């Protein structure tokens, strides 16, 4: 098991994640005048995004990207873009940009190519990943159609389409490739609860995908609270 940063509570975990996002953005703005972080959806990270958006950053210099997206419109309850638009509202109102993965009126593959064109030029300073109970990270669902291409460390694509019947919201997903995540300046894997910690340890011990592929491609910092 790689080194973990253990927080005494979920509240402290959210504050820790928000502080790392803020720090990455401030450093990028100081170094090159702009910063970009890629954010996961799901049920865990919303409080971290709300904390971040309450900070006084130079928001017009900031881009928010998605780690992955459920292939639904932003007003759908399962949309990760919708989650980011709600939780990051103060930052977006102050001029930050959200780079969508979803495109309306396109099929999944065409939308993946359109998102790939938008994401390829992004320089991602930090990618915040989560992990589902089934071990998926981003939308790299074990055994799903498209996941092998998404986990190819030599992939030229930044965004790909995945079809995973077991995925929440819709089986159709758009996701950053492992290669795009590994190119990020910094990678965080934020998990909560004993079950996910044990699942991660077991995947890494037995070479289980996608966790083992992620840790072979980069050095994520694991952030955990019970
Ligand atoms: C998604 C996510 C996904 C998420 C995990 C954990 O859209 O499904 O980006 O990779 O990080 O499923 O989700 P929870 O926080 O809900 O456990």
């Amino acid at each position: 098991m790689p080194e973990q940063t253990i927080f005494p509570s979920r509240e402290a975990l959210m504050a820790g994640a928000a502080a790392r996002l803020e720090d990455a953005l401030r450093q990028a703005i100081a170094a090159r005048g702009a910063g970009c972080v890629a954010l996961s959806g799901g049920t865990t990270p919303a409080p971290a995004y709300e904390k971040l958006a309450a900070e006084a950053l130079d928001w017009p210099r900031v881009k928010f990207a998605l780690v992955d997206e459920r292939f639904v419109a932003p007003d759908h309850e399962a949309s990760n873009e919708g989650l980011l638009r709600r939780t990051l509202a103060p930052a977006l109102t102050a001029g930050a940009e959200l780079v969508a993965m979803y495109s309306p009126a396109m099929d999944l593959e065409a939308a993946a190519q359109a998102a790939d064109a938008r994401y390829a030029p992004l320089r991602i300073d930090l990618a915040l990943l989560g992990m589902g109970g089934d071990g998926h990270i981003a939308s790299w669902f074990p055994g799903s159609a498209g996941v092998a291409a998404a986990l190819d460390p030599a992939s030229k694509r930044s965004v790909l389409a995945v079809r995973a019947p077991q995925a929440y919201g819709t089986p159709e997903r758009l996701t950053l490739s492992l290669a795009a995540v590994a190119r990020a300046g910094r990678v965080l894997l934020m998990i909560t609860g004993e079950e996910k910690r044990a699942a991660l340890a077991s995947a890494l011990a037995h070479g289980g995908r996608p966790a083992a592929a992620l840790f072979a491609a980069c050095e994520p910092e694991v952030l955990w609270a019970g």
Side-chain angles (χ1 to χ4, degrees), residues 35-212:
C36 174
V37 289
L39 303 176
S40 287
T43 53
T44 306
Y49 302 159
E50 284 163 358
K51 272 185 200 303
L52 174 66
E55 296 300 329
L57 265 85
D58 193 350
W59 290 118
R61 297 180 183 275
V62 170
K63 285 185 184 172
F64 295 113
L66 289 132
V67 164
D68 67 328
E69 181 59 290
R70 293 93 181 258
F71 194 55
V72 292
D75 61 355
H76 189 287
E77 57 158 20
S79 166
N80 284 342
E81 180 182 333
L83 171 78
L84 296 192
R85 289 202 178 282
R86 289 189 298 279
T87 54
L88 297 169
L92 296 170
T93 304
E97 183 187 341
L98 196 159
V99 187
M101 270 194 182
Y102 176 79
S103 295
M106 279 188 192
D107 66 21
L108 184 66
E109 189 46 51
Q113 287 182 23
D116 185 57
R118 288 195 291 275
Y119 273 61
L122 296 180
R123 175 163 167 177
I124 297 173
D125 298 295
L126 185 154
L128 176 66
L129 305 174
M131 192 181 83
D134 62 356
H136 79 267
I137 294 171
S139 278
W140 309 328
F141 286 84
S144 61
V147 73
L151 290 180
D152 175 0
S155 175
K156 299 267 184 287
R157 293 280 293 264
S158 294
V159 178
L160 296 104
V162 169
R163 285 185 176 78
Q166 71 272 40
Y168 170 75
T170 168
E172 296 187 314
R173 297 281 188 130
L174 298 169
T175 187
L176 284 184
S177 61
L178 174 61
V181 168
R183 277 196 299 275
R186 194 168 166 187
V187 180
L188 305 181
L189 178 59
M190 181 164 75
I191 56 173
T192 53
E194 287 299 344
E195 213 176 306
K196 285 190 186 179
R197 182 153 72 162
L200 178 62
S202 159
L204 294 179
H206 301 107
R209 302 194 128 208

